[in-house]
Amino acid sequence: MNEATTKQYENENDGSDYGSDYDVVVIGGGAAGLSAALVLGRARRRVAVVDAAEPRNAPAAHMHGFLSRDGLPPATLLELGRAELERYGVRFLTARVDDVRATDPGHAVRLAGGPQLTTRHVVVTTGLRDELPDLPGVRERWGKDVLHCPYCHGWEVRDRPLGVIASQPGSVHQALLVRQWSDDVVLFANGLDLSAEDRERLAARGVRIVAGAVERIAVEDGRLRGVELVDGRALPRAAVFVAPRFVPHDALLTALGAAAEAGWVTTDPAGRTSVPGVWATGNVVDPRAQVITAAGTGASLAFALNAELVEEDVRAAVAEARAGV
């Protein structure tokens, strides 16, 4: 562990023994992880949150649809959440986790360039990454005026000329959904094979179809100006929606042998994976979860996890009593 990392750990943990045993180590400090840690901290559990400080929604200036926090910058939500955790003794470590190993009992969580944490249970809330279409301008304007979720950003671009760049079959549904926020919506087919039914549905909703491959997103003076096609045509748009491919940050889970289906680690309704003592929630297992959804599932996971810890504590206490300890 280098000097800078050592100072960071010491600052965040008052120089105390951050490698001591925990009841729960939460890997991932987004809405799901912080919410789980909050409930567990209030249940007087010894909890550490380890976060790499690379939130998925960092490009967005504001988040929406979160009751009482609508319009709040995503970074501010995390700052408020961390401050709340401090009141309950939850420790926060800015670091990456190299691996998680099963031990007897519990698990060992090894940090990159840092200590090893030992814990009874592990909660993985590492989220996902958006794999964007390889078009000039998309990454530059992502989260600003190149968007994915109309529920997150549709209100802000309502009644303006909008575009949807097809990148997968679900793009038709996306265009029909975006139409709810504007009566001027164009679907750039971009090579997508549209069925007769697709065309009928789009036409009935007033969504125009522009054939041809997209060349780039036109950006001028730090703003999206429109969409340019390979054949030289250009169509002004105020904002564009695209559907990225969701890639879960689930390497820790798959390395442990967690069961998966269709490319996503599976959990029971409480958040248990197939690996004993390892739990997961949020975007790492559910690509549809928005910030408020992730916060809710983090809390419900924590209720179930604390109940399981109580049962473990009771079994241990009964065994000690029977042994006359």
Side-chain angles (χ1 to χ4, degrees):
M1 182 164 56
N2 61 38
E3 181 179 357
T5 305
T6 301
K7 289 181 178 178
Q8 184 175 41
Y9 283 131
E10 290 177 348
N11 289 339
E12 292 174 338
N13 294 277
D14 300 323
S16 56
D17 182 9
Y18 39 71
S20 298
D21 289 342
Y22 292 94
D23 292 315
V24 181
V25 169
V26 179
I27 305 173
L34 295 181
S35 184
L38 177 62
V39 172
L40 291 165
R42 284 179 52 82
R44 307 190 72 176
R45 294 298 178 183
R46 182 166 167 76
V47 182
V49 177
V50 184
D51 183 61
E54 295 177 350
R56 176 193 179 196
N57 58 3
H62 305 94
M63 66 172 195
H64 296 281
F66 198 125
L67 187 64
S68 83
R69 292 293 182 264
D70 188 73
L72 192 73
T76 302
L77 178 72
L78 300 184
E79 291 171 6
L80 293 171
R82 293 174 190 174
E84 290 175 352
L85 296 184
E86 290 178 0
R87 299 204 298 266
Y88 304 106
V90 175
R91 295 188 175 180
F92 194 94
L93 304 174
T94 303
R96 291 185 179 279
V97 174
D98 274 350
D99 65 62
V100 178
R101 293 183 294 105
T103 60
D104 188 16
H107 290 81
V109 178
R110 184 163 62 86
L111 308 187
Q116 177 172 281
L117 312 180
T118 54
T119 180
R120 295 165 66 182
H121 289 255
V122 175
V123 176
V124 178
T125 63
T126 43
L128 60 78
R129 66 180 174 87
D130 297 301
E131 191 172 270
L132 303 178
D134 187 19
L135 290 172
V138 168
R139 186 167 299 279
E140 177 186 352
R141 301 303 302 168
W142 182 244
K144 302 177 180 67
D145 38 31
V146 175
L147 311 165
H148 162 60
C149 173
Y151 292 107
C152 303
H153 304 288
W155 178 264
E156 284 63 43
V157 295
R158 66 192 184 282
D159 299 326
R160 303 175 71 186
L162 305 178
V164 176
I165 298 177
S167 59
Q168 52 183 280
S171 297
V172 171
H173 171 72
Q174 188 181 37
L176 292 169
L177 188 60
V178 169
R179 173 64 179 81
Q180 183 67 26
W181 282 267
S182 173
D183 59 7
D184 184 358
V185 177
V186 170
L187 173 64
F188 295 91
N190 196 35
L192 183 66
D193 186 17
L194 299 174
S195 68
E197 182 182 2
D198 289 336
R199 294 179 181 277
E200 180 183 30
R201 284 160 53 83
L202 291 164
R205 282 288 282 167
V207 176
R208 290 181 290 156
I209 301 170
V210 172
V214 173
E215 174 74 15
R216 70 186 184 102
I217 302 295
V219 179
E220 296 179 7
D221 300 324
R223 290 180 55 194
L224 183 150
R225 297 300 181 183
V227 177
E228 296 183 3
L229 285 83
V230 172
D231 61 15
R233 287 178 294 160
L235 190 66
R237 297 286 91 183
V240 170
F241 288 80
V242 299
R245 187 172 79 90
F246 301 133
V247 182
H249 291 301
D250 61 1
L252 295 173
L253 294 169
T254 57
L256 286 167
E261 183 177 335
W264 293 84
V265 170
T266 57
T267 66
D268 72 4
R272 298 178 184 86
T273 71
S274 62
V275 181
V278 177
W279 307 61
T281 193
N283 282 148
V284 70
V285 293
D286 181 5
R288 298 169 299 176
Q290 294 184 301
V291 178
I292 193 168
T293 314
T297 59
S300 61
L301 179 153
F303 299 142
L305 175 48
N306 187 62
E308 191 157 315
L309 286 167
V310 167
E311 287 302 313
E312 292 176 5
D313 294 339
V314 170
R315 287 195 296 269
V318 169
E320 289 180 2
R322 289 175 177 175
V325 177

